Amino acid sequence: MTALSNPDPLIPDAIDGGGRPLTDRGAVVLAAAVVLGAWWHKPVPLIVGVMVGLVAAVLRRPTVLVLGAFLVASTLGTRSFEGITAAEPGSYSGPVTLLSDPKETPYGVRVDVRAGNKRFELNASQSAAGAVGRSLAGERLSVEGRLRTRPDDMPWLIPRHVVGRLTVSSAERLDGGSAPWRAANRFRRLLGRGAEVMDEPARSLYGGFVLGDDRGQTPELIDDFRGAGLTHLLVVSGQNVAFLLVLAGPLIRRQGLAGRWLVTIWIIGAFAVLTRFEPSVLRASAMAAIAVTATVAGRPSSTLRNLSLAVAVLVLIDPLLVWSVAFQLSTAASAGIAVLGPRIAGALRGPRWWREALGVTLAAQLGVAPVLVPRFGGLPVVSVVANLLAVPVAGLVTTWGLPAGVVAGIFGSPVAAWVHLPTRFMIGWVAGVARVSSALPLGEVGTRELVVIVAAAWVAATVHRHRPERRAIVAMLLSVAVLAALTPALALRSPPADVVLAGGSRIQRRQGATLLILDASSSPTPLLQDLRRAGVRRIDVVHATTEPRPEVMRALRHRWPVGPVIVTPVDR
């Protein structure tokens, strides 16, 4: 997570003008203008925005600069959308370059690829799945298959620049790609060899903590982290970049001023390639690069300014990032920490380490709530406690697990077993926190509860700042916020008797017993989520018309005590 700072107020009344340079508050509005322009994406002539920006630079008028940035972002957003026009269906035979690491699905292997100057979502099954599944990002394959247009009901393909789907019937390896990708993949395979001494759940979590690689994670493991509000630990963020720079500190400090900048930028870039340029990685890497550049130039800048400039630059480079949920969550969490973290920590009582840890956790949760709650339905009540218990240990997984993984990969067993002993212990702790936290029937904060919590906390902070003697009012307002946070848990104490779940499954509660009517089409991930949100504590009977899939029953037994399974075939 980002370190605490002392930023200016979030939204200014006006951007500083009068020939003065862009302030931190102005940088926030500049980033907002770029994001809004990319979102609006109307075809404004590019020369207009560029000329407005040049005038702003000459006259040093930040207000004019914001207008120019808005116009340029709008134009670039239009061009980006024009560039992802759905591909025409037809056959394809030729080379493709993998843009991500392949993931296994119930229907084969899926991966984003580039063919020519277009991006496609490649799907491979049967014999073709083997060659695709063994490959990594950056490597090239020769494939044969058919192109299909991008479905309209898959908006998540837009920020990935995917124009269609490529279903391949054959695939053969061509080469390992360019030098940076070959080096990154050799390093990832080295870490993978070192992690073979761990069991499968720990190995998949190790890849998530260190590299942001979520492949191999089971539905029950994913739901544990989702139910505990810990999914951000399974993607690479600013915390990983910060820990990496700490590890490289002795090397960086040996260099001169220019050398420090070059080495730091090289490390940031290499880590971005290693972690596949995920949206959260792009945000963290851009912030780190801006921060080190400002420091070398003798003009250290605040976290909020670095974040704002990073967002503005990244969205101008790729306007479709504004539709990426991962980018939105990463930016929102960083903004919450930068703006609210110091204020919350300052209002708390206790040791400094406690105030800062709780302040960062609460600020991050409040930051992502406006994105998380409307899109995913709620913010787990237990997430604050779970983050306090898991985040520090997850950070140690990176600082210890990365160098230990190199040693383990080079020397293999039994050295790997010893050097990864602390890694396994720390991963087990975090996984245990996620499993126990997600099983607690505390519910999730929805939009109404969130509004009450934010409003009560805001008013309490205002009263405390201006009328510190009115402690009773502050205590009452904070009590209202706590009660609102506990409302979902109180609601789960009297859940409805009948609940329709994902895929057509149902929960029926009668006389203290819980019956799960399992639909054959139910998949583990949404089923676990719906059962958790329904406040299920045990499943006394499972009724199905066909034998339940093993992965579904494994997921159910991972979370709850499960009684007998009754299969009643339907006569046709």
Side-chain angles (χ1 to χ4, degrees), residues 87 90 95 172 304 310 442 527:
E172 295 181 1
L304 187 60
L442 298 179
L527 180 62

Side-chain angles (χ1 to χ4, degrees), residues 183-242:
N185 290 335
R186 281 197 294 269
F187 189 80
R188 288 176 71 103
R189 288 186 170 109
L190 177 69
L191 295 181
R193 287 196 300 271
E196 289 176 356
V197 296
M198 306 181 196
D199 58 17
E200 180 50 43
R203 188 160 61 245
S204 64
L205 287 177
Y206 174 78
F209 291 149
V210 176
L211 299 172
D213 186 353
D214 60 357
R215 296 178 300 165
Q217 293 168 7
T218 60
E220 54 267 29
L221 195 63
I222 293 172
D223 191 71
D224 282 349
F225 278 76
R226 186 175 295 169
L230 297 175
T231 51
H232 61 93
L233 298 180
L234 301 179
V235 298
V236 177
S237 64
Q239 180 177 345
N240 299 75
V241 176

